[in-house]
Amino acid sequence: MENSQILTYLLFTPIIGAVIILFMKESQTVLIKIFGLLISLFAFAVSLYPYFNFDYTNPDFQFIHKVLWIESLDISYHVGADGISVLLILLTTFITPITLLSSWKAIDKKIKLFTMMMLLLEAGMIGVFMALDVFLFYIFWEAMLIPMYFIIGIWGGEQRIYASVKFFIYTMLGSLLMLVAIIWLTVAASKNIGLYTTNLILLYQQAPNIMLDIQKWLFLAFFFSFAIKVPLFPLHTWLPDAHVQAPTAGSVILAGVLLKMGTYGLIRFNLPLFPQSTVEFAPFISILAIIGIIYGALVAMVQTDMKKLVAYSSVSHLGFVVLGIFALTFESVQGAVIQMVNHGLSTGALFLLVGIIYERTHKREIAYYGGIAKLVPLFAIALMFASLSSIGLPGLNGFIGEFLILLGAFQSQVLDSWWYVVFAATGVIFAAVYLLWMYQRVVFGTVTNEKLNTELTDLNAREIIVLVPIFIFIVWIGIYPTTFLDLSEAPVSAILEHVKNYTFNFLY
Amino acid sequence: MSEISIINISIIILLLPLVSFVLLIFFGKKFPKLYLAATGVVFVALVLSIAVTFGMLTSYSGETLSFSFTWIDFGNVPSIGFLSIELGFEINNVTALMLFVVNLISALVHLYSIEYMRGDIRYTRYFAYLGIFTFSMLGIVITNNLLMMYIFWELVGLSSYLLIGFWFEKDSASDAGKKAFLVNRVGDIGMWIGILILFTHYKTFTFSTIFEQISLGNLPFDSAAALTTAGILIFLGAVGKSAQFPLHVWLPDAMEGPTPVSALIHAATMVAAGVYLLVKIFVILTADAMLVIAVVGGVTAFVAATIALTQNDIKKVLAYSTVSQLGYMVLAVGVGAYAFAFFHLVTHAFFKACLFLGSGSVIHAMHHEQDIRYMGGLRKKMPLTYYTFLISTLAISGVPLFSGFLSKDGILAGTLAFGSLTGHWLLPIIGFTVAAMTAFYMFRLVIITFHGEPRNKEKYDHAHESKWVMTAPLAVLSLLSIFIFYTPNPISADAGWFLNKWISTPQTVVPAEASFDFMQSGMNKHETGLAQESGIVHSVQYTEAMHHAHYPAMFLSLILAGLGILIAFIFYQWKKVDLEKLTEKLNSLYKFSLNKWYIDEFYHATFISGTIRSADALSWFDYYIIDGIVNASASITRFVSRLSGWFDTFIVDGLVNFSALFSGFIGLSFRRLQTGKVQTYIVFVVFAVLVLLLFFRPF
């Protein structure tokens, strides 16, 4: 594909927006909010260009833009997108304006800084999903931590400092390993071709030829870094704290997009760079994923804090995604990709809804509520809808992801056992348990807490505008997933084919 | 009607209730009269389904019309080839009849609910839920593949959840809704894995393709055991939905929903979906799978019947009776009495819906009193309700001239035939015992509720016959409990149109070695196909056994039903036995039955509290151990850094400061010597010289 600069334009849209806001007056809060929202909407519009001009049959990266950066090390500014990237970039640009609009009232201090941070965060996330140079990827990966750190640390709850530091350091720990692995990988690969490069596309061809003993360690270093981000059991404990302390917008971005960077990294780096190790470790990682599915669901069940409950449900749902990836079948990886989007939508919606009542009562404890269906009927319907999507009810998006992942995992030659699916499927039951139980305690019954009568008001127009686009996509994916599955079809096939080429002796 | 128009009309029938749902959800608030339109829409669907059923039975009897479309196209998948997921619909005689049954009961329940639910704060929402339920149920009925079956299966579960918990202000209602959803999910997971086994091997969800492959000898993973496993796992879905033991516990609780809902969903249609599923996959059930199904059905029928004997809530009696009758149907599938399983599904749908709506009429009249111990004598106040209730009771008890007699008799004959062919005699014994118990508890219910003297005078005085919108459905349904709609012969359905013309048992596709001998016709597949078209029921052997069993079964069931009814009259009408003494004598048995075999308590003590305890433990583990390690490493890091800070301050920097301090000290000490007085210096010098002299001793 010829050089195209559209992705660069997309990347710089929020950055330029943030710079412009820098020069705006702190007191012009409304103007800043509107401007920030417009910029993020514009970024969404720009991101539609690659979607509509996407060549579905081409499994390679498209819209490539490459500029040599550090000549001596052959490091380039090198971006491009395949279907998986396009899908996740769309998710990012879709979620960002929603979060900005959702925090219209919730964020009441340092609005200028907040809007800037959100836009920079968006740029960082987009960058991660389009970087085709390992060095550039690392830069985006790290850069994105900073705005998130501030979002949790400044606008968060009571224990925001603890949570933000934990988030930052935990992730840094993984990143550090990744940095070491990147250096080792590029050096090791350069021995084979006699040329040092950080070009991911070239590394795809070279990395699998690295000695298996070294590959194994490289795989684990990358895996460890991504597993923290996912987060995979037992590396997940930063997540509940970060989610609970983050402001609603932060939680939504965190669940909606940030966690996907981990699973994206697994697909983008671990599978194609280290196919032999991927196959070797797949059963082990799948077991961890399944532990995460059941463990996350069980722990979610007994949480007393709504946000924490949703946070643990993420651990469970992302376990499905990891299982899908490492089952290494076409259906399961496709399911994992669509499940990333699904989780972003349904968990994003759940966090938005929890945020909406938190804004009114400043209480997240389930026990504080009860019988609110009568007081806020629209909210009750919306929460039911989001819960059902998360539960995986057929006709809504969650079902498609779980369906394809389980379908694929069942047929997986790498896993080669039904037990993975049997155990993973129990997670589907538990998902219904914790969500319906929470729903019952919050929404059903009679109003026992008199304060709620005065505190609660039903969804307002802005909140409806925030939720409806998400709900549209929840139904769309549920009924006609082909629109989205088509995007990732060619790259998923290509990646699996690539893995298979290097591992035929493992697979057959 | 042409094939295309039958398919098209069926799809329209499917979509009509969905339209009703969408309209009511979005515009229900603005147009409170919209429920009338919803009822109208369902009646239109009923008329259309009558047309489809008529068209099928007259023009395409025995054929299967189908229509498929691609839902997800994966394109060319590495190492698999072209893969796509097809969905679609199929109409045959069974489907068409089921369409009619579902639409009829749905329409009658809509009509009935207009009065029964009047004044409810969520009146339009209620009709919306009925719409989404009817849509989902019809989806199950006309699907041609397992995936859609599963999708609509779950949607039915959702609508059931919404309707059971319709009065969510009551904790018991929302608990019951949640329980239903979760218990069903347990079964559904099994079903899902069963479906996956089939899909993994055949790469399709479509019934007909899978059946064809199996009939060609292509078994999943080339093993009959896998086919058995798949059959049993899919049956698990039916265990959940059709409330079979041990997953039956949700159905009695589901009575928390509005009574018309109980009639529609928890008696006539949704709970029959499990049986319908078994009917759909009947041809791939192996001998082992059938035996499992038969045993589960038999146990369910028995357990539920014993519980129904002692319940005092009018709806609970009917609920356990439903579980028991569903057990019969499942048992019928298990013993190979395919046609009678479906026949009983249909007849039961009518008389059980009638019984539930009748109980609703009573509850309505008694101002939400459900305990039969406070009723009595209602016969005089509510004649129409009473007579329709009685007719349905006669039907369910297996009295000749009524539909239940015909279908139940067939099932019992089937169990007898099965016993004679395989030696499993326990199944017919259970079947007949249950028949006696059924007659007993149903007449107990009728007598206590409608006969005798009123036990609650005040409520009795206020009781009145319900309005026509409520009694008309009762009349229609009780009418359909009369034999003439199914066969001209009141004591045998074999020659009637229902079994002879409409429903024919399909030939099993399971290879001979994995199936019961009697399931194989002995003819080759081609001949079987012909035989099927001409309506011949499976093997000659089985037909003969059924034939032999017919009269013994009939006499035995007549005697037992009569006995049950007689005892009920002796106990409750004529009061010839002191019931209190009897209860005291059989106290432990009585308690066991009254407390539903303590199954709920058992589940509570094991699964539920086990799950919650392990969740609590894991939560503790997560907080104190996993996160503890994270925080501990943070603390250790902080400690080490503090330690090195201390080291830095006191040791490293301490050394520096020490040397500074030391030199300072030295300087300070020696400063004393610098007094500036010559005398002192001279003393020092003399002293020093003396010391030197003393030291070196030069002399």
Side-chain angles (χ1 to χ4, degrees):
Chain A
M1 187 109 188
E2 78 281 11
N3 239 3
S4 153
Q5 297 180 352
I6 184 68
L7 292 178
T8 304
Y9 294 144
L10 176 59
L11 176 65
F12 279 92
T13 301
I15 294 178
I16 291 168
V19 171
I20 293 173
I21 290 176
L22 183 63
F23 293 104
M24 289 164 98
K25 271 194 195 134
E26 178 79 53
S27 55
Q28 292 170 311
T29 53
V30 179
L31 190 69
I32 290 172
K33 281 184 200 169
I34 292 174
F35 183 76
L37 181 65
L38 286 178
I39 285 287
S40 65
L41 285 171
F42 181 67
F44 178 62
V46 175
S47 70
L48 289 175
Y49 179 86
Y51 172 70
F52 283 115
N53 292 285
F54 189 74
D55 178 5
Y56 285 81
T57 54
N58 182 357
D60 295 333
F61 291 98
Q62 305 176 30
F63 315 106
I64 288 177
H65 185 202
K66 190 177 174 189
V67 180
L68 201 57
W69 184 9
I70 305 172
E71 206 167 341
S72 58
L73 294 173
D74 195 31
I75 294 173
S76 317
Y77 167 81
H78 184 185
V79 295
D82 64 0
I84 303 170
S85 302
V86 169
L87 204 56
L88 291 170
I89 288 172
L90 278 172
L91 180 69
T92 311
T93 55
F94 173 76
I95 294 275
T96 306
I98 286 177
T99 52
L100 280 173
L101 192 58
S102 80
S103 36
W104 210 256
K105 286 267 156 59
I107 301 296
D108 49 10
K109 60 171 185 183
K110 297 187 184 158
I111 287 161
K112 178 175 159 183
L113 189 62
F114 177 77
T115 315
M116 280 171 61
M117 286 301 159
M118 290 296 284
L119 290 176
L120 290 177
L121 184 61
E122 182 180 20
M125 294 184 300
I126 294 174
V128 164
F129 292 134
M130 61 168 77
L132 292 183
D133 183 290
V134 283
F135 189 72
L136 187 67
F137 178 86
Y138 184 76
I139 289 174
F140 283 129
W141 180 269
E142 290 294 288
M144 164 243 89
L145 279 181
I146 299 160
M148 197 65 210
Y149 172 76
F150 283 120
I151 288 171
I152 300 175
I154 298 178
W155 296 277
E158 281 157 21
Q159 288 179 296
R160 55 182 180 270
I161 303 297
Y162 170 73
S164 57
V165 170
K166 192 172 180 180
F167 162 77
F168 197 90
I169 293 180
Y170 216 135
T171 323
M172 275 292 271
L173 182 71
S175 317
L176 202 70
L177 273 172
M178 182 161 72
L179 182 63
V180 172
I182 284 175
I183 294 167
W184 193 0
L185 165 72
T186 47
V187 170
S190 71
K191 280 186 189 143
N192 291 334
I193 42 173
L195 171 80
Y196 184 85
T197 182
T198 52
N199 184 337
L200 187 62
I201 300 170
L202 290 177
L203 287 172
Y204 280 169
Q205 304 312 317
Q206 296 309 323
N209 299 325
I210 296 173
M211 275 198 333
L212 287 187
D213 287 345
I214 298 175
Q215 209 194 88
K216 208 180 281 177
W217 291 107
L218 291 173
F219 175 91
L220 286 176
F222 272 101
F223 173 74
F224 190 70
S225 172
F226 296 136
I228 288 176
K229 195 67 127 203
V230 168
L232 199 64
F233 173 87
L235 305 171
H236 62 274
T237 51
W238 63 269
L239 183 75
D241 285 314
H243 265 319
V244 169
Q245 297 306 326
T248 303
S251 295
V252 174
I253 291 273
L254 204 54
V257 188
L258 239 70
L259 305 186
K260 312 305 164 333
M261 291 170 32
T263 44
Y264 173 82
L266 292 173
I267 296 180
R268 181 66 75 229
F269 288 81
N270 282 57
L271 261 57
L273 288 175
F274 318 111
Q276 297 94 326
S277 307
T278 300
V279 172
E280 197 184 332
F281 286 111
F284 172 70
I285 294 171
S286 301
I287 289 171
L288 273 187
I290 288 167
I291 292 176
I293 292 172
I294 297 173
Y295 180 93
L298 282 173
V299 176
M301 204 181 291
V302 290
Q303 294 306 313
T304 51
D305 179 315
M306 279 191 270
K307 258 188 152 178
K308 231 174 188 169
L309 188 147
V310 182
Y312 276 105
S313 87
S314 290
V315 176
S316 185
H317 281 149
L318 269 297
F320 271 103
V321 178
V322 174
L323 174 66
I325 293 171
F326 283 92
L328 292 169
T329 62
F330 176 74
E331 291 96 324
S332 72
V333 180
Q334 276 283 60
V337 172
I338 198 80
Q339 188 69 353
M340 291 188 211
V341 178
N342 289 339
H343 176 262
L345 295 173
S346 41
T347 308
L350 283 173
F351 274 123
L352 282 173
L353 286 160
V354 173
I356 283 170
I357 45 170
Y358 179 76
E359 240 175 82
R360 289 157 170 66
T361 61
H362 298 283
K363 288 283 190 305
R364 290 186 308 258
E365 288 78 25
I366 294 172
Y368 186 79
Y369 299 93
I372 66 171
K374 280 225 166 122
L375 307 175
V376 283
L378 277 177
F379 173 84
I381 293 173
L383 185 62
M384 171 61 82
F385 196 84
S387 305
L388 290 174
S389 149
S390 186
I391 287 171
L393 186 83
L396 303 179
N397 61 348
F399 173 71
I400 304 296
E402 282 170 11
F403 158 72
L404 288 173
I405 289 167
L406 294 179
L407 187 71
F410 201 77
Q411 307 175 45
S412 170
Q413 284 163 311
V414 176
L415 300 184
D416 195 31
S417 164
W418 296 357
W419 289 107
Y420 292 95
V421 171
V422 172
F423 281 109
T426 56
V428 177
I429 302 178
F430 289 135
V433 176
Y434 61 75
L435 279 171
L436 291 185
W437 194 19
M438 173 188 90
Y439 191 84
Q440 183 191 16
R441 285 178 290 169
V442 172
V443 175
F444 287 160
T446 47
V447 184
T448 44
N449 189 342
E450 288 297 326
K451 280 189 206 155
L452 290 172
N453 285 318
T454 50
E455 282 174 348
L456 282 183
T457 48
D458 212 347
L459 301 181
N460 60 34
R462 176 179 57 85
E463 288 158 346
I464 291 172
I465 293 170
V466 165
L467 290 168
V468 163
I470 298 184
F471 288 173
I472 288 173
F473 280 98
I474 283 176
V475 175
W476 188 344
I477 296 177
I479 291 174
Y480 195 69
T482 306
T483 321
F484 306 94
L485 289 173
D486 277 353
L487 271 171
S488 52
E489 190 177 297
V492 167
S493 287
I495 290 169
L496 288 176
E497 196 72 352
H498 175 86
V499 172
K500 193 166 280 179
N501 283 341
Y502 283 99
T503 56
F504 52 91
N505 50 341
F506 282 96
L507 281 169
Y508 299 104
Chain B
M1 266 196 290
S2 68
E3 290 183 26
I4 300 294
S5 59
I6 286 190
I7 293 280
N8 285 344
I9 294 174
S10 305
I11 295 173
I12 292 171
I13 295 172
L14 171 69
L15 294 177
L16 278 175
L18 183 66
V19 171
S20 146
F21 167 73
V22 172
L23 284 179
L24 285 167
I25 280 286
F26 287 106
F27 307 105
K29 273 235 169 89
K30 269 191 194 139
F31 305 99
K33 286 277 175 199
L34 213 54
Y35 69 88
L36 288 175
T39 312
V41 163
V42 182
F43 269 91
V44 171
L46 172 62
V47 172
L48 291 177
S49 68
I50 291 172
V52 165
T53 314
F54 186 77
M56 272 310 289
L57 296 178
T58 53
S59 317
Y60 301 98
S61 189
E63 286 179 47
T64 297
L65 315 179
S66 62
F67 163 76
S68 312
F69 60 93
T70 303
W71 184 43
I72 301 177
D73 191 352
F74 287 122
N76 194 355
V77 177
S79 80
I80 296 175
F82 284 93
L83 181 70
S84 63
I85 293 178
E86 304 261 319
L87 298 182
F89 308 104
E90 69 182 11
I91 312 289
N92 55 29
N93 286 0
V94 171
T95 312
L97 285 167
M98 196 73 185
L99 265 185
F100 168 70
V101 171
V102 172
N103 273 308
L104 175 70
I105 296 177
S106 173
L108 292 176
V109 164
H110 270 82
L111 186 66
Y112 182 96
S113 301
I114 290 177
E115 180 60 27
Y116 189 88
M117 297 299 287
R118 193 176 294 283
D120 195 280
I121 44 165
R122 288 183 292 274
Y123 195 59
T124 45
R125 179 80 66 83
Y126 171 82
F127 283 91
Y129 289 168
L130 284 188
I132 187 82
F133 167 74
T134 311
F135 164 71
S136 325
M137 186 66 209
L138 292 173
I140 288 182
V141 172
I142 67 172
T143 174
N144 75 347
N145 61 80
L146 284 160
L147 178 61
M148 247 168 100
M149 179 70 93
Y150 183 79
I151 289 175
F152 283 106
W153 197 261
E154 290 282 297
L155 287 179
V156 160
L158 168 72
S159 33
S160 166
Y161 167 76
L162 293 172
L163 281 164
I164 295 170
F166 185 72
W167 288 316
F168 57 74
E169 290 90 347
K170 274 198 296 183
D171 285 340
S172 55
S174 63
D175 276 340
K178 188 183 62 188
K179 182 172 176 182
F181 195 90
L182 296 179
V183 171
N184 268 294
R185 268 228 156 173
V186 174
D188 293 351
I189 293 303
M191 174 177 173
W192 176 236
I193 293 169
I195 293 174
L196 284 184
I197 294 177
L198 295 179
F199 180 85
T200 302
H201 192 75
Y202 301 110
K203 303 290 175 220
T204 177
F205 290 107
T206 311
F207 289 119
S208 54
T209 320
I210 295 172
F211 297 167
E212 198 188 326
Q213 287 295 316
I214 297 178
S215 78
L216 294 172
N218 177 4
L219 296 184
F221 306 101
D222 302 318
S223 108
L227 187 60
T228 303
T229 313
I232 292 174
L233 285 170
I234 294 177
F235 167 62
L236 272 182
V239 171
K241 204 61 88 203
S242 285
Q244 297 297 295
F245 182 84
L247 298 182
H248 66 282
V249 288
W250 66 270
L251 185 59
D253 288 29
M255 297 302 132
E256 288 289 338
T259 305
V261 167
S262 310
L264 173 63
I265 301 185
H266 307 114
T269 55
M270 177 183 98
V271 291
V275 180
Y276 183 75
L277 172 68
L278 290 180
V279 165
K280 276 263 178 192
I281 62 160
F282 181 73
V283 294
I284 64 163
L285 296 174
T286 59
D288 294 337
M290 282 176 71
L291 196 59
V292 168
I293 292 170
V295 169
V296 169
V299 168
T300 307
F302 180 74
V303 171
T306 57
I307 296 173
L309 295 175
T310 57
Q311 300 302 308
N312 288 320
D313 182 318
I314 185 168
K315 286 182 75 180
K316 284 271 156 81
V317 177
L318 292 177
Y320 279 104
S321 146
T322 305
V323 176
S324 176
Q325 297 298 311
L326 289 166
Y328 261 137
M329 297 174 213
V330 170
L331 173 64
V333 172
V335 300
Y338 169 96
F340 289 104
F342 184 68
F343 188 24
H344 197 58
L345 190 166
V346 174
T347 59
H348 175 262
F350 295 141
F351 60 66
K352 188 49 72 59
C354 182
L355 287 168
F356 265 109
L357 292 180
S359 78
S361 176
V362 170
I363 294 166
H364 200 58
M366 298 291 285
H367 299 282
H368 300 286
E369 179 58 72
Q370 295 190 196
D371 194 326
I372 51 175
R373 285 170 298 186
Y374 299 110
M375 297 176 184
L378 287 172
R379 179 173 49 159
K380 295 180 204 102
K381 286 272 187 164
M382 317 178 69
L384 235 162
T385 304
Y386 169 64
Y387 284 111
T388 53
F389 202 91
L390 185 64
I391 290 174
S392 307
T393 304
L394 290 167
I396 194 177
S397 307
V399 174
L401 299 181
F402 299 99
S403 60
F405 170 76
L406 300 168
S407 52
K408 196 194 282 183
D409 190 42
I411 293 174
L412 293 173
T415 58
L416 265 187
F418 186 79
S420 70
L421 290 166
T422 62
H424 292 291
W425 287 105
L426 196 60
L427 292 172
I429 293 172
I430 288 178
F432 285 104
T433 317
V434 171
M437 288 195 282
T438 308
F440 170 78
Y441 67 69
M442 282 312 298
F443 270 87
R444 167 180 177 265
L445 184 66
V446 170
I447 294 165
I448 297 181
T449 310
F450 292 100
H451 295 191
E453 293 304 313
R455 289 177 207 85
N456 185 332
K457 195 74 182 134
E458 196 190 336
K459 286 206 169 165
Y460 174 81
D461 286 339
H462 286 97
H464 53 84
E465 183 60 281
S466 305
K467 288 194 179 146
W468 74 268
V469 285
M470 283 174 68
T471 51
L474 296 178
V476 173
L477 289 168
S478 62
L479 201 64
L480 284 169
S481 305
I482 295 168
F483 73 97
I484 195 69
F485 294 95
Y486 312 94
T487 166
N489 179 351
I491 57 158
S492 170
D494 288 352
W497 39 83
F498 193 94
L499 291 176
N500 208 17
K501 292 253 168 53
W502 297 347
I503 304 300
S504 60
T505 309
Q507 174 59 43
T508 180
V509 295
V510 180
E513 61 274 15
S515 134
F516 286 120
D517 289 341
F518 63 79
M519 295 292 292
Q520 302 287 335
S521 64
M523 298 180 258
N524 67 36
K525 300 286 182 207
H526 177 66
E527 285 170 332
T528 315
L530 291 176
Q532 232 170 288
E533 274 170 34
S534 58
I536 294 171
V537 184
H538 33 59
S539 76
V540 182
Q541 205 186 356
Y542 191 75
T543 317
E544 259 178 25
M546 280 286 274
H547 196 72
H548 286 308
H550 182 67
Y551 283 102
M554 193 172 81
F555 286 123
L556 206 54
S557 69
L558 271 178
I559 293 168
L560 287 167
L563 202 66
I565 296 170
L566 188 69
I567 297 174
F569 269 89
I570 293 173
F571 278 16
Y572 302 102
Q573 180 81 22
W574 305 317
K575 301 191 171 126
K576 296 284 181 198
V577 177
D578 189 344
L579 280 178
E580 280 183 21
K581 267 194 184 157
L582 189 70
T583 334
E584 234 164 70
K585 254 189 195 164
L586 302 172
N587 195 26
S588 55
L589 276 180
Y590 175 76
K591 281 270 169 59
F592 197 60
S593 159
L594 189 68
N595 291 303
K596 307 144 193 170
W597 289 42
Y598 298 99
I599 293 169
D600 272 321
E601 284 76 3
F602 173 72
Y603 287 166
H604 231 282
T606 52
F607 300 119
I608 297 174
S609 67
T611 307
I612 292 192
R613 264 187 217 160
S614 45
D616 275 327
L618 285 180
S619 176
W620 182 91
F621 177 76
D622 198 67
Y623 191 78
Y624 290 101
I625 307 297
I626 296 193
D627 206 28
I629 292 172
V630 176
N631 286 333
S633 53
S635 310
I636 289 170
T637 315
R638 276 206 301 270
F639 175 73
V640 169
S641 69
R642 258 191 230 120
L643 200 69
S644 37
W646 182 87
F647 184 80
D648 199 57
T649 322
F650 293 102
I651 308 295
V652 179
D653 206 26
L655 227 76
V656 176
N657 289 339
F658 177 75
S659 44
L661 219 70
F662 185 72
S663 33
F665 173 75
I666 299 291
L668 266 180
S669 341
F670 280 88
R671 205 169 60 185
R672 300 260 174 85
L673 303 180
Q674 307 287 54
T675 55
K677 288 177 182 164
V678 180
Q679 299 95 311
T680 326
Y681 293 152
I682 289 170
V683 170
F684 279 143
V685 168
V686 171
F687 184 72
V689 167
L690 279 176
V691 167
L692 284 171
L693 283 178
L694 215 68
F695 202 73
F696 291 102
R697 295 169 198 254
F699 313 105

